[in-house]
Amino acid sequence: MAAIGSYLYIAQKDLRRGELMHTEEDYCAAGRFFEQAVEKAFKAFIEKKGTPDDYRLMSLHKPWRLYDRCRALDFPQLSTEEENALHKLADYYYDTNYPGNAYFELTRDQSLEAMVVARAVLKLTAELLAYPS
C-alpha cells in the first residue's frame, strides 16, 4: 500500500469509492471519483519523477495535461481507448458536479469507461512507483 495520505494512497481510495458509487448506480459520483483517482495517480508520478518546476501542476485539475507531463517523464503511453476516455474525465468532474448549461448526467457506460481508465492508470502508476495496488 502507498504511504497513508500520499497522492497514490488517496487515488486508490478514490478508485474504490468510484467503484462503490458505480455499483450503487450513482454514475455521476462514480465519474467524479474516477477523475480524482486518475488526477492523483498522475500527481503521484509527477511528485516522484518530476522537477521542482512541476510544483505548479499539483493544483491542476486537468487529467490530460497531467498525463502529458507524465509522458514527458517516461510514463508509458496508454492505449487509444484509454486516452480517449482520459479526455472526457475533466468533463465528468466539472459538468456533472456543477449546475449550468454544460451540466449532464453520466450513463452507466460512461462511468464504466471512466472506471476502466482509472484502474489502468492506477495499476500502471503503482507498478512504476513500486507500490502494491
Side-chain angles (χ1 to χ4, degrees):
M1 177 185 297
I4 292 176
S6 69
Y7 279 110
L8 194 55
Y9 173 82
I10 299 169
Q12 290 167 335
K13 289 181 69 133
D14 284 343
L15 176 62
R16 287 191 299 274
R17 291 172 180 140
E19 291 167 343
L20 287 169
M21 290 297 95
H22 182 83
T23 300
E24 292 295 317
E25 299 181 7
D26 187 346
Y27 303 127
C28 289
R32 287 192 300 272
F33 280 118
F34 295 139
E35 185 281 337
Q36 285 290 292
V38 168
E39 179 183 319
K40 289 172 187 143
F42 287 148
K43 288 178 180 180
F45 189 82
I46 292 168
E47 182 179 57
K48 182 80 169 177
K49 304 288 185 177
T51 68
D53 290 340
D54 289 323
Y55 177 76
R56 62 185 167 70
L57 294 174
M58 302 316 259
S59 62
L60 191 65
H61 302 289
K62 305 265 188 218
W64 188 261
R65 289 201 42 221
L66 294 167
Y67 173 64
D68 280 345
R69 180 60 183 140
C70 288
R71 291 281 298 131
L73 297 168
D74 293 325
F75 193 92
Q77 185 167 359
L78 299 173
S79 71
T80 301
E81 295 80 19
E82 291 164 343
E83 285 187 348
N84 289 339
L86 188 62
H87 273 291
K88 300 172 190 174
L89 287 181
D91 292 339
Y92 292 177
Y93 182 77
Y94 289 108
D95 295 342
T96 66
N97 202 30
Y98 296 100
N101 292 338
Y103 178 83
F104 69 96
E105 295 278 332
L106 282 182
T107 66
R108 180 186 181 284
D109 288 344
Q110 289 168 318
S111 177
L112 186 59
E113 179 182 51
M115 183 189 325
V116 168
V117 72
R119 284 177 175 168
V121 168
L122 265 71
K123 181 179 185 294
L124 187 53
T125 304
E127 289 171 359
L128 292 167
L129 298 180
Y131 292 120
S133 50

